[in-house]
PDB file of all heavy atoms in Angstrom:
ATOM      1  N   ARG A 871    -219.583 -69.081 130.423  1.00 98.00           N
ATOM      2  CA  ARG A 871    -220.216 -67.828 130.745  1.00 98.00           C
ATOM      3  C   ARG A 871    -220.097 -67.558 132.282  1.00 98.00           C
ATOM      4  O   ARG A 871    -219.685 -66.425 132.715  1.00 98.00           O
ATOM      5  CB  ARG A 871    -221.650 -67.772 130.343  1.00 98.00           C
ATOM      6  CG  ARG A 871    -222.346 -66.421 130.616  1.00 98.00           C
ATOM      7  CD  ARG A 871    -223.897 -66.565 130.600  1.00 98.00           C
ATOM      8  NE  ARG A 871    -224.390 -67.548 131.553  1.00 98.00           N
ATOM      9  CZ  ARG A 871    -224.422 -67.378 132.850  1.00 98.00           C
ATOM     10  NH1 ARG A 871    -223.958 -66.321 133.404  1.00 98.00           N
ATOM     11  NH2 ARG A 871    -224.953 -68.362 133.625  1.00 98.00           N
ATOM     12  N   LEU A 872    -220.452 -68.532 133.099  1.00 98.00           N
ATOM     13  CA  LEU A 872    -220.369 -68.328 134.541  1.00 98.00           C
ATOM     14  C   LEU A 872    -218.990 -68.195 135.045  1.00 98.00           C
ATOM     15  O   LEU A 872    -218.705 -67.341 135.922  1.00 98.00           O
ATOM     16  CB  LEU A 872    -221.095 -69.532 135.248  1.00 98.00           C
ATOM     17  CG  LEU A 872    -221.127 -69.458 136.779  1.00 98.00           C
ATOM     18  CD1 LEU A 872    -221.830 -68.199 137.256  1.00 98.00           C
ATOM     19  CD2 LEU A 872    -221.812 -70.686 137.354  1.00 98.00           C
ATOM     20  N   ALA A 873    -218.040 -68.935 134.435  1.00 98.00           N
ATOM     21  CA  ALA A 873    -216.625 -68.850 134.843  1.00 98.00           C
ATOM     22  C   ALA A 873    -216.119 -67.420 134.507  1.00 98.00           C
ATOM     23  O   ALA A 873    -215.408 -66.803 135.351  1.00 98.00           O
ATOM     24  CB  ALA A 873    -215.803 -69.894 134.190  1.00 98.00           C
ATOM     25  N   GLN A 874    -216.472 -66.913 133.340  1.00 98.00           N
ATOM     26  CA  GLN A 874    -216.029 -65.565 132.957  1.00 98.00           C
ATOM     27  C   GLN A 874    -216.568 -64.540 133.965  1.00 98.00           C
ATOM     28  O   GLN A 874    -215.836 -63.658 134.348  1.00 98.00           O
ATOM     29  CB  GLN A 874    -216.498 -65.235 131.566  1.00 98.00           C
ATOM     30  CG  GLN A 874    -215.563 -65.737 130.467  1.00 98.00           C
ATOM     31  CD  GLN A 874    -215.887 -65.203 129.109  1.00 98.00           C
ATOM     32  OE1 GLN A 874    -216.713 -65.793 128.405  1.00 98.00           O
ATOM     33  NE2 GLN A 874    -215.226 -64.124 128.750  1.00 98.00           N
ATOM     34  N   GLU A 875    -217.802 -64.741 134.313  1.00 98.00           N
ATOM     35  CA  GLU A 875    -218.448 -63.771 135.266  1.00 98.00           C
ATOM     36  C   GLU A 875    -217.791 -63.924 136.642  1.00 98.00           C
ATOM     37  O   GLU A 875    -217.490 -62.948 137.296  1.00 98.00           O
ATOM     38  CB  GLU A 875    -219.946 -64.109 135.302  1.00 98.00           C
ATOM     39  CG  GLU A 875    -220.775 -63.185 136.088  1.00 98.00           C
ATOM     40  CD  GLU A 875    -222.237 -63.614 136.006  1.00 98.00           C
ATOM     41  OE1 GLU A 875    -222.831 -63.521 134.931  1.00 98.00           O
ATOM     42  OE2 GLU A 875    -222.756 -64.091 137.060  1.00 98.00           O
ATOM     43  N   THR A 876    -217.617 -65.101 137.103  1.00 97.00           N
ATOM     44  CA  THR A 876    -217.109 -65.374 138.409  1.00 97.00           C
ATOM     45  C   THR A 876    -215.635 -64.944 138.612  1.00 97.00           C
ATOM     46  O   THR A 876    -215.312 -64.313 139.628  1.00 97.00           O
ATOM     47  CB  THR A 876    -217.238 -66.896 138.741  1.00 97.00           C
ATOM     48  OG1 THR A 876    -218.570 -67.313 138.640  1.00 97.00           O
ATOM     49  CG2 THR A 876    -216.678 -67.185 140.125  1.00 97.00           C
ATOM     50  N   TYR A 877    -214.857 -65.260 137.590  1.00 97.00           N
ATOM     51  CA  TYR A 877    -213.384 -64.979 137.708  1.00 97.00           C
ATOM     52  C   TYR A 877    -212.952 -63.752 136.977  1.00 97.00           C
ATOM     53  O   TYR A 877    -211.787 -63.435 136.915  1.00 97.00           O
ATOM     54  CB  TYR A 877    -212.657 -66.206 137.206  1.00 97.00           C
ATOM     55  CG  TYR A 877    -212.957 -67.452 138.039  1.00 97.00           C
ATOM     56  CD1 TYR A 877    -213.644 -68.523 137.456  1.00 97.00           C
ATOM     57  CD2 TYR A 877    -212.600 -67.575 139.369  1.00 97.00           C
ATOM     58  CE1 TYR A 877    -213.970 -69.651 138.217  1.00 97.00           C
ATOM     59  CE2 TYR A 877    -212.908 -68.669 140.139  1.00 97.00           C
ATOM     60  CZ  TYR A 877    -213.576 -69.702 139.527  1.00 97.00           C
ATOM     61  OH  TYR A 877    -213.885 -70.838 140.245  1.00 97.00           O
ATOM     62  N   ASP A 878    -213.922 -63.009 136.372  1.00 97.00           N
ATOM     63  CA  ASP A 878    -213.635 -61.796 135.614  1.00 97.00           C
ATOM     64  C   ASP A 878    -212.605 -62.024 134.539  1.00 97.00           C
ATOM     65  O   ASP A 878    -211.619 -61.323 134.378  1.00 97.00           O
ATOM     66  CB  ASP A 878    -213.151 -60.688 136.584  1.00 97.00           C
ATOM     67  CG  ASP A 878    -213.178 -59.311 135.939  1.00 97.00           C
ATOM     68  OD1 ASP A 878    -214.047 -59.118 135.036  1.00 97.00           O
ATOM     69  OD2 ASP A 878    -212.369 -58.463 136.262  1.00 97.00           O
ATOM     70  N   TRP A 879    -212.829 -63.103 133.763  1.00 97.00           N
ATOM     71  CA  TRP A 879    -211.944 -63.491 132.662  1.00 97.00           C
ATOM     72  C   TRP A 879    -212.317 -62.733 131.430  1.00 97.00           C
ATOM     73  O   TRP A 879    -213.511 -62.583 131.106  1.00 97.00           O
ATOM     74  CB  TRP A 879    -212.026 -64.967 132.328  1.00 97.00           C
ATOM     75  CG  TRP A 879    -211.452 -65.876 133.367  1.00 97.00           C
ATOM     76  CD1 TRP A 879    -210.541 -65.583 134.303  1.00 97.00           C
ATOM     77  CD2 TRP A 879    -211.672 -67.291 133.489  1.00 97.00           C
ATOM     78  NE1 TRP A 879    -210.217 -66.716 135.056  1.00 97.00           N
ATOM     79  CE2 TRP A 879    -210.914 -67.786 134.568  1.00 97.00           C
ATOM     80  CE3 TRP A 879    -212.482 -68.142 132.750  1.00 97.00           C
ATOM     81  CZ2 TRP A 879    -210.934 -69.129 134.944  1.00 97.00           C
ATOM     82  CZ3 TRP A 879    -212.532 -69.520 133.148  1.00 97.00           C
ATOM     83  CH2 TRP A 879    -211.704 -69.984 134.191  1.00 97.00           C
ATOM     84  N   ASP A 880    -211.301 -62.362 130.617  1.00 97.00           N
ATOM     85  CA  ASP A 880    -211.579 -61.845 129.280  1.00 97.00           C
ATOM     86  C   ASP A 880    -211.749 -63.052 128.385  1.00 97.00           C
ATOM     87  O   ASP A 880    -211.598 -64.186 128.775  1.00 97.00           O
ATOM     88  CB  ASP A 880    -210.474 -60.918 128.790  1.00 97.00           C
ATOM     89  CG  ASP A 880    -209.071 -61.572 128.739  1.00 97.00           C
ATOM     90  OD1 ASP A 880    -208.941 -62.803 128.717  1.00 97.00           O
ATOM     91  OD2 ASP A 880    -208.109 -60.833 128.765  1.00 97.00           O
ATOM     92  N   ASP A 881    -212.097 -62.823 127.101  1.00 97.00           N
ATOM     93  CA  ASP A 881    -212.346 -63.942 126.179  1.00 97.00           C
ATOM     94  C   ASP A 881    -211.165 -64.810 125.994  1.00 97.00           C
ATOM     95  O   ASP A 881    -211.276 -66.018 125.890  1.00 97.00           O
ATOM     96  CB  ASP A 881    -212.882 -63.405 124.805  1.00 97.00           C
ATOM     97  CG  ASP A 881    -214.285 -62.889 124.903  1.00 97.00           C
ATOM     98  OD1 ASP A 881    -215.032 -63.244 125.845  1.00 97.00           O
ATOM     99  OD2 ASP A 881    -214.678 -62.123 123.991  1.00 97.00           O
ATOM    100  N   ALA A 882    -209.940 -64.221 125.915  1.00 98.00           N
ATOM    101  CA  ALA A 882    -208.751 -65.027 125.684  1.00 98.00           C
ATOM    102  C   ALA A 882    -208.482 -65.987 126.817  1.00 98.00           C
ATOM    103  O   ALA A 882    -208.155 -67.120 126.623  1.00 98.00           O
ATOM    104  CB  ALA A 882    -207.538 -64.118 125.413  1.00 98.00           C
ATOM    105  N   THR A 883    -208.669 -65.471 128.054  1.00 97.00           N
ATOM    106  CA  THR A 883    -208.471 -66.330 129.259  1.00 97.00           C
ATOM    107  C   THR A 883    -209.504 -67.417 129.249  1.00 97.00           C
ATOM    108  O   THR A 883    -209.213 -68.590 129.583  1.00 97.00           O
ATOM    109  CB  THR A 883    -208.517 -65.499 130.509  1.00 97.00           C
ATOM    110  OG1 THR A 883    -207.549 -64.474 130.438  1.00 97.00           O
ATOM    111  CG2 THR A 883    -208.283 -66.304 131.741  1.00 97.00           C
ATOM    112  N   ALA A 884    -210.744 -67.107 128.948  1.00 98.00           N
ATOM    113  CA  ALA A 884    -211.808 -68.117 128.889  1.00 98.00           C
ATOM    114  C   ALA A 884    -211.490 -69.168 127.837  1.00 98.00           C
ATOM    115  O   ALA A 884    -211.744 -70.372 128.063  1.00 98.00           O
ATOM    116  CB  ALA A 884    -213.176 -67.409 128.660  1.00 98.00           C
ATOM    117  N   ASP A 885    -210.996 -68.716 126.704  1.00 98.00           N
ATOM    118  CA  ASP A 885    -210.605 -69.743 125.605  1.00 98.00           C
ATOM    119  C   ASP A 885    -209.549 -70.685 126.149  1.00 98.00           C
ATOM    120  O   ASP A 885    -209.673 -71.884 125.985  1.00 98.00           O
ATOM    121  CB  ASP A 885    -210.034 -68.973 124.424  1.00 98.00           C
ATOM    122  CG  ASP A 885    -211.054 -68.238 123.576  1.00 98.00           C
ATOM    123  OD1 ASP A 885    -212.261 -68.436 123.785  1.00 98.00           O
ATOM    124  OD2 ASP A 885    -210.616 -67.365 122.749  1.00 98.00           O
ATOM    125  N   THR A 886    -208.524 -70.142 126.830  1.00 97.00           N
ATOM    126  CA  THR A 886    -207.460 -70.957 127.365  1.00 97.00           C
ATOM    127  C   THR A 886    -208.007 -71.922 128.453  1.00 97.00           C
ATOM    128  O   THR A 886    -207.665 -73.097 128.436  1.00 97.00           O
ATOM    129  CB  THR A 886    -206.362 -70.081 127.934  1.00 97.00           C
ATOM    130  OG1 THR A 886    -205.816 -69.254 126.921  1.00 97.00           O
ATOM    131  CG2 THR A 886    -205.228 -70.917 128.518  1.00 97.00           C
ATOM    132  N   ALA A 887    -208.834 -71.359 129.341  1.00 97.00           N
ATOM    133  CA  ALA A 887    -209.404 -72.204 130.397  1.00 97.00           C
ATOM    134  C   ALA A 887    -210.243 -73.345 129.827  1.00 97.00           C
ATOM    135  O   ALA A 887    -210.109 -74.479 130.300  1.00 97.00           O
ATOM    136  CB  ALA A 887    -210.252 -71.314 131.329  1.00 97.00           C
ATOM    137  N   GLU A 888    -211.050 -73.033 128.853  1.00 97.00           N
ATOM    138  CA  GLU A 888    -211.921 -74.087 128.253  1.00 97.00           C
ATOM    139  C   GLU A 888    -211.073 -75.135 127.567  1.00 97.00           C
ATOM    140  O   GLU A 888    -211.276 -76.326 127.761  1.00 97.00           O
ATOM    141  CB  GLU A 888    -212.867 -73.434 127.239  1.00 97.00           C
ATOM    142  CG  GLU A 888    -213.811 -74.451 126.627  1.00 97.00           C
ATOM    143  CD  GLU A 888    -214.844 -73.842 125.711  1.00 97.00           C
ATOM    144  OE1 GLU A 888    -215.108 -72.639 125.820  1.00 97.00           O
ATOM    145  OE2 GLU A 888    -215.365 -74.601 124.859  1.00 97.00           O
ATOM    146  N   GLN A 889    -210.017 -74.735 126.819  1.00 96.00           N
ATOM    147  CA  GLN A 889    -209.119 -75.736 126.161  1.00 96.00           C
ATOM    148  C   GLN A 889    -208.442 -76.579 127.181  1.00 96.00           C
ATOM    149  O   GLN A 889    -208.344 -77.760 127.032  1.00 96.00           O
ATOM    150  CB  GLN A 889    -208.145 -74.980 125.288  1.00 96.00           C
ATOM    151  CG  GLN A 889    -207.293 -75.940 124.472  1.00 96.00           C
ATOM    152  CD  GLN A 889    -208.090 -76.822 123.554  1.00 96.00           C
ATOM    153  OE1 GLN A 889    -208.932 -76.351 122.818  1.00 96.00           O
ATOM    154  NE2 GLN A 889    -207.866 -78.123 123.563  1.00 96.00           N
ATOM    155  N   ARG A 890    -207.913 -75.988 128.229  1.00 94.00           N
ATOM    156  CA  ARG A 890    -207.210 -76.728 129.291  1.00 94.00           C
ATOM    157  C   ARG A 890    -208.146 -77.691 129.962  1.00 94.00           C
ATOM    158  O   ARG A 890    -207.755 -78.804 130.342  1.00 94.00           O
ATOM    159  CB  ARG A 890    -206.525 -75.819 130.253  1.00 94.00           C
ATOM    160  CG  ARG A 890    -205.311 -75.134 129.636  1.00 94.00           C
ATOM    161  CD  ARG A 890    -204.557 -74.317 130.576  1.00 94.00           C
ATOM    162  NE  ARG A 890    -203.381 -73.744 129.885  1.00 94.00           N
ATOM    163  CZ  ARG A 890    -202.707 -72.731 130.344  1.00 94.00           C
ATOM    164  NH1 ARG A 890    -202.968 -72.202 131.581  1.00 94.00           N
ATOM    165  NH2 ARG A 890    -201.703 -72.214 129.670  1.00 94.00           N
ATOM    166  N   TYR A 891    -209.413 -77.306 130.197  1.00 95.00           N
ATOM    167  CA  TYR A 891    -210.354 -78.202 130.827  1.00 95.00           C
ATOM    168  C   TYR A 891    -210.670 -79.358 129.901  1.00 95.00           C
ATOM    169  O   TYR A 891    -210.703 -80.516 130.319  1.00 95.00           O
ATOM    170  CB  TYR A 891    -211.624 -77.421 131.209  1.00 95.00           C
ATOM    171  CG  TYR A 891    -212.657 -78.217 131.926  1.00 95.00           C
ATOM    172  CD1 TYR A 891    -212.378 -78.878 133.090  1.00 95.00           C
ATOM    173  CD2 TYR A 891    -213.992 -78.342 131.445  1.00 95.00           C
ATOM    174  CE1 TYR A 891    -213.321 -79.656 133.810  1.00 95.00           C
ATOM    175  CE2 TYR A 891    -214.918 -79.070 132.116  1.00 95.00           C
ATOM    176  CZ  TYR A 891    -214.618 -79.726 133.289  1.00 95.00           C
ATOM    177  OH  TYR A 891    -215.545 -80.446 133.923  1.00 95.00           O
ATOM    178  N   ARG A 892    -210.893 -79.081 128.639  1.00 96.00           N
ATOM    179  CA  ARG A 892    -211.102 -80.172 127.647  1.00 96.00           C
ATOM    180  C   ARG A 892    -209.911 -81.079 127.600  1.00 96.00           C
ATOM    181  O   ARG A 892    -210.105 -82.343 127.624  1.00 96.00           O
ATOM    182  CB  ARG A 892    -211.483 -79.573 126.320  1.00 96.00           C
ATOM    183  CG  ARG A 892    -212.819 -78.906 126.262  1.00 96.00           C
ATOM    184  CD  ARG A 892    -213.096 -78.309 124.875  1.00 96.00           C
ATOM    185  NE  ARG A 892    -214.277 -77.518 124.879  1.00 96.00           N
ATOM    186  CZ  ARG A 892    -215.561 -77.928 124.764  1.00 96.00           C
ATOM    187  NH1 ARG A 892    -215.772 -79.209 124.658  1.00 96.00           N
ATOM    188  NH2 ARG A 892    -216.553 -77.085 124.759  1.00 96.00           N
ATOM    189  N   ASP A 893    -208.728 -80.563 127.561  1.00 94.00           N
ATOM    190  CA  ASP A 893    -207.515 -81.402 127.537  1.00 94.00           C
ATOM    191  C   ASP A 893    -207.451 -82.224 128.823  1.00 94.00           C
ATOM    192  O   ASP A 893    -207.110 -83.401 128.766  1.00 94.00           O
ATOM    193  CB  ASP A 893    -206.275 -80.543 127.462  1.00 94.00           C
ATOM    194  CG  ASP A 893    -206.036 -79.906 126.088  1.00 94.00           C
ATOM    195  OD1 ASP A 893    -206.741 -80.258 125.092  1.00 94.00           O
ATOM    196  OD2 ASP A 893    -205.143 -79.025 126.002  1.00 94.00           O
ATOM    197  N   PHE A 894    -207.768 -81.626 129.958  1.00 91.00           N
ATOM    198  CA  PHE A 894    -207.739 -82.316 131.191  1.00 91.00           C
ATOM    199  C   PHE A 894    -208.720 -83.511 131.222  1.00 91.00           C
ATOM    200  O   PHE A 894    -208.346 -84.614 131.646  1.00 91.00           O
ATOM    201  CB  PHE A 894    -208.040 -81.360 132.344  1.00 91.00           C
ATOM    202  CG  PHE A 894    -208.221 -82.009 133.683  1.00 91.00           C
ATOM    203  CD1 PHE A 894    -207.124 -82.556 134.316  1.00 91.00           C
ATOM    204  CD2 PHE A 894    -209.421 -82.025 134.333  1.00 91.00           C
ATOM    205  CE1 PHE A 894    -207.231 -83.154 135.567  1.00 91.00           C
ATOM    206  CE2 PHE A 894    -209.519 -82.650 135.590  1.00 91.00           C
ATOM    207  CZ  PHE A 894    -208.451 -83.198 136.231  1.00 91.00           C
ATOM    208  N   LEU A 895    -209.942 -83.284 130.738  1.00 93.00           N
ATOM    209  CA  LEU A 895    -210.906 -84.360 130.669  1.00 93.00           C
ATOM    210  C   LEU A 895    -210.388 -85.493 129.745  1.00 93.00           C
ATOM    211  O   LEU A 895    -210.552 -86.687 130.061  1.00 93.00           O
ATOM    212  CB  LEU A 895    -212.252 -83.884 130.099  1.00 93.00           C
ATOM    213  CG  LEU A 895    -212.989 -82.913 131.004  1.00 93.00           C
ATOM    214  CD1 LEU A 895    -214.185 -82.287 130.279  1.00 93.00           C
ATOM    215  CD2 LEU A 895    -213.458 -83.561 132.301  1.00 93.00           C
ATOM    216  N   TRP A 896    -209.719 -85.166 128.643  1.00 93.00           N
ATOM    217  CA  TRP A 896    -209.185 -86.154 127.760  1.00 93.00           C
ATOM    218  C   TRP A 896    -208.082 -86.964 128.417  1.00 93.00           C
ATOM    219  O   TRP A 896    -208.009 -88.176 128.319  1.00 93.00           O
ATOM    220  CB  TRP A 896    -208.729 -85.454 126.478  1.00 93.00           C
ATOM    221  CG  TRP A 896    -208.169 -86.340 125.456  1.00 93.00           C
ATOM    222  CD1 TRP A 896    -206.955 -86.210 124.813  1.00 93.00           C
ATOM    223  CD2 TRP A 896    -208.757 -87.507 124.788  1.00 93.00           C
ATOM    224  NE1 TRP A 896    -206.749 -87.233 123.881  1.00 93.00           N
ATOM    225  CE2 TRP A 896    -207.852 -87.982 123.865  1.00 93.00           C
ATOM    226  CE3 TRP A 896    -210.001 -88.174 124.950  1.00 93.00           C
ATOM    227  CZ2 TRP A 896    -208.104 -89.131 123.080  1.00 93.00           C
ATOM    228  CZ3 TRP A 896    -210.259 -89.286 124.180  1.00 93.00           C
ATOM    229  CH2 TRP A 896    -209.319 -89.739 123.238  1.00 93.00           C
ATOM    230  N   VAL A 897    -207.184 -86.242 129.201  1.00 90.00           N
ATOM    231  CA  VAL A 897    -206.150 -86.942 129.925  1.00 90.00           C
ATOM    232  C   VAL A 897    -206.746 -87.916 130.933  1.00 90.00           C
ATOM    233  O   VAL A 897    -206.352 -89.069 131.071  1.00 90.00           O
ATOM    234  CB  VAL A 897    -205.185 -85.920 130.595  1.00 90.00           C
ATOM    235  CG1 VAL A 897    -204.252 -86.636 131.596  1.00 90.00           C
ATOM    236  CG2 VAL A 897    -204.381 -85.175 129.551  1.00 90.00           C
ATOM    237  N   CYS A 898    -207.749 -87.432 131.679  1.00 88.00           N
ATOM    238  CA  CYS A 898    -208.379 -88.293 132.683  1.00 88.00           C
ATOM    239  C   CYS A 898    -208.989 -89.508 132.007  1.00 88.00           C
ATOM    240  O   CYS A 898    -208.864 -90.640 132.556  1.00 88.00           O
ATOM    241  CB  CYS A 898    -209.456 -87.491 133.459  1.00 88.00           C
ATOM    242  SG  CYS A 898    -208.797 -86.276 134.574  1.00 88.00           S
ATOM    243  N   PHE A 899    -209.657 -89.354 130.850  1.00 89.00           N
ATOM    244  CA  PHE A 899    -210.254 -90.507 130.180  1.00 89.00           C
ATOM    245  C   PHE A 899    -209.148 -91.530 129.826  1.00 89.00           C
ATOM    246  O   PHE A 899    -209.302 -92.715 130.035  1.00 89.00           O
ATOM    247  CB  PHE A 899    -210.979 -90.063 128.913  1.00 89.00           C
ATOM    248  CG  PHE A 899    -211.342 -91.216 128.033  1.00 89.00           C
ATOM    249  CD1 PHE A 899    -212.424 -92.058 128.328  1.00 89.00           C
ATOM    250  CD2 PHE A 899    -210.583 -91.513 126.906  1.00 89.00           C
ATOM    251  CE1 PHE A 899    -212.695 -93.131 127.543  1.00 89.00           C
ATOM    252  CE2 PHE A 899    -210.873 -92.604 126.109  1.00 89.00           C
ATOM    253  CZ  PHE A 899    -211.950 -93.401 126.429  1.00 89.00           C
ATOM    254  N   ASN A 900    -208.053 -91.045 129.334  1.00 87.00           N
ATOM    255  CA  ASN A 900    -207.003 -91.937 128.829  1.00 87.00           C
ATOM    256  C   ASN A 900    -206.214 -92.636 129.899  1.00 87.00           C
ATOM    257  O   ASN A 900    -205.575 -93.673 129.674  1.00 87.00           O
ATOM    258  CB  ASN A 900    -206.115 -91.172 127.906  1.00 87.00           C
ATOM    259  CG  ASN A 900    -206.636 -91.056 126.538  1.00 87.00           C
ATOM    260  OD1 ASN A 900    -206.544 -91.963 125.721  1.00 87.00           O
ATOM    261  ND2 ASN A 900    -207.281 -89.936 126.278  1.00 87.00           N
ATOM    262  N   PHE A 901    -206.163 -92.014 131.100  1.00 82.00           N
ATOM    263  CA  PHE A 901    -205.297 -92.569 132.147  1.00 82.00           C
ATOM    264  C   PHE A 901    -206.081 -93.053 133.377  1.00 82.00           C
ATOM    265  O   PHE A 901    -205.510 -93.271 134.410  1.00 82.00           O
ATOM    266  CB  PHE A 901    -204.215 -91.591 132.472  1.00 82.00           C
ATOM    267  CG  PHE A 901    -203.278 -91.378 131.297  1.00 82.00           C
ATOM    268  CD1 PHE A 901    -203.416 -90.248 130.493  1.00 82.00           C
ATOM    269  CD2 PHE A 901    -202.285 -92.354 131.012  1.00 82.00           C
ATOM    270  CE1 PHE A 901    -202.566 -90.124 129.394  1.00 82.00           C
ATOM    271  CE2 PHE A 901    -201.475 -92.221 129.926  1.00 82.00           C
ATOM    272  CZ  PHE A 901    -201.636 -91.097 129.113  1.00 82.00           C
ATOM    273  N   ALA A 902    -207.417 -93.294 133.208  1.00 71.00           N
ATOM    274  CA  ALA A 902    -208.151 -93.857 134.295  1.00 71.00           C
ATOM    275  C   ALA A 902    -207.722 -95.314 134.442  1.00 71.00           C
ATOM    276  O   ALA A 902    -207.711 -96.082 133.470  1.00 71.00           O
ATOM    277  CB  ALA A 902    -209.634 -93.821 133.976  1.00 71.00           C
ATOM    278  N   VAL A 903    -207.331 -95.688 135.626  1.00 62.00           N
ATOM    279  CA  VAL A 903    -206.807 -97.051 135.884  1.00 62.00           C
ATOM    280  C   VAL A 903    -207.633 -97.621 137.046  1.00 62.00           C
ATOM    281  O   VAL A 903    -207.666 -97.024 138.087  1.00 62.00           O
ATOM    282  CB  VAL A 903    -205.355 -97.001 136.246  1.00 62.00           C
ATOM    283  CG1 VAL A 903    -204.844 -98.404 136.590  1.00 62.00           C
ATOM    284  CG2 VAL A 903    -204.508 -96.402 135.119  1.00 62.00           C
ATOM    285  N   GLY A 904    -208.208 -98.775 136.805  1.00 59.00           N
ATOM    286  CA  GLY A 904    -208.979 -99.398 137.899  1.00 59.00           C
ATOM    287  C   GLY A 904    -210.162 -98.504 138.351  1.00 59.00           C
ATOM    288  O   GLY A 904    -210.847 -97.996 137.537  1.00 59.00           O
ATOM    289  N   GLU A 905    -210.202 -98.325 139.634  1.00 56.00           N
ATOM    290  CA  GLU A 905    -211.325 -97.541 140.168  1.00 56.00           C
ATOM    291  C   GLU A 905    -211.011 -96.042 140.207  1.00 56.00           C
ATOM    292  O   GLU A 905    -211.897 -95.217 140.323  1.00 56.00           O
ATOM    293  CB  GLU A 905    -211.645 -98.019 141.570  1.00 56.00           C
ATOM    294  CG  GLU A 905    -212.304 -99.314 141.616  1.00 56.00           C
ATOM    295  CD  GLU A 905    -213.656 -99.338 140.859  1.00 56.00           C
ATOM    296  OE1 GLU A 905    -214.525 -98.502 141.183  1.00 56.00           O
ATOM    297  OE2 GLU A 905    -213.857-100.120 139.958  1.00 56.00           O
ATOM    298  N   THR A 906    -209.773 -95.613 140.251  1.00 57.00           N
ATOM    299  CA  THR A 906    -209.444 -94.211 140.371  1.00 57.00           C
ATOM    300  C   THR A 906    -208.325 -93.802 139.483  1.00 57.00           C
ATOM    301  O   THR A 906    -207.490 -94.641 139.091  1.00 57.00           O
ATOM    302  CB  THR A 906    -209.104 -93.816 141.806  1.00 57.00           C
ATOM    303  OG1 THR A 906    -207.848 -94.468 142.157  1.00 57.00           O
ATOM    304  CG2 THR A 906    -210.149 -94.130 142.823  1.00 57.00           C
ATOM    305  N   THR A 907    -208.259 -92.542 139.167  1.00 59.00           N
ATOM    306  CA  THR A 907    -207.122 -91.946 138.531  1.00 59.00           C
ATOM    307  C   THR A 907    -206.893 -90.564 139.133  1.00 59.00           C
ATOM    308  O   THR A 907    -207.818 -89.917 139.518  1.00 59.00           O
ATOM    309  CB  THR A 907    -207.282 -91.845 137.035  1.00 59.00           C
ATOM    310  OG1 THR A 907    -206.067 -91.354 136.453  1.00 59.00           O
ATOM    311  CG2 THR A 907    -208.400 -90.945 136.632  1.00 59.00           C
ATOM    312  N   MET A 908    -205.649 -90.186 139.266  1.00 65.00           N
ATOM    313  CA  MET A 908    -205.373 -88.880 139.781  1.00 65.00           C
ATOM    314  C   MET A 908    -204.530 -88.142 138.738  1.00 65.00           C
ATOM    315  O   MET A 908    -203.597 -88.729 138.208  1.00 65.00           O
ATOM    316  CB  MET A 908    -204.593 -88.937 141.076  1.00 65.00           C
ATOM    317  CG  MET A 908    -205.377 -89.616 142.159  1.00 65.00           C
ATOM    318  SD  MET A 908    -206.025 -88.426 143.309  1.00 65.00           S
ATOM    319  CE  MET A 908    -206.448 -89.435 144.680  1.00 65.00           C
ATOM    320  N   THR A 909    -204.851 -86.991 138.449  1.00 67.00           N
ATOM    321  CA  THR A 909    -204.175 -86.201 137.394  1.00 67.00           C
ATOM    322  C   THR A 909    -203.988 -84.768 137.888  1.00 67.00           C
ATOM    323  O   THR A 909    -204.890 -84.188 138.388  1.00 67.00           O
ATOM    324  CB  THR A 909    -204.984 -86.186 136.074  1.00 67.00           C
ATOM    325  OG1 THR A 909    -205.319 -87.525 135.750  1.00 67.00           O
ATOM    326  CG2 THR A 909    -204.219 -85.549 134.974  1.00 67.00           C
TER     327      THR A 909
END
């Protein structure tokens, strides 16, 4: 909700952003090595 308000996103853009953020979190979880990971 805040991202849509802040960035003036329509629902389709917000859907894409949310999916990409979830995918990003999943990538970070899977490729965390030692103390840090960069993605």
Side-chain angles (χ1 to χ4, degrees):
R871 182 199 57 73
L872 181 58
Q874 277 190 270
E875 186 179 292
T876 302
Y877 301 111
D878 196 29
W879 288 342
D880 59 22
D881 287 340
T883 303
D885 288 345
T886 300
E888 183 176 337
Q889 184 61 49
R890 287 185 180 164
Y891 183 56
R892 290 178 189 279
D893 288 349
F894 174 69
L895 292 172
W896 181 235
V897 169
C898 288
F899 168 77
N900 279 278
F901 295 99
V903 178
E905 289 298 306
T906 64
T907 184
M908 299 258 194
T909 308

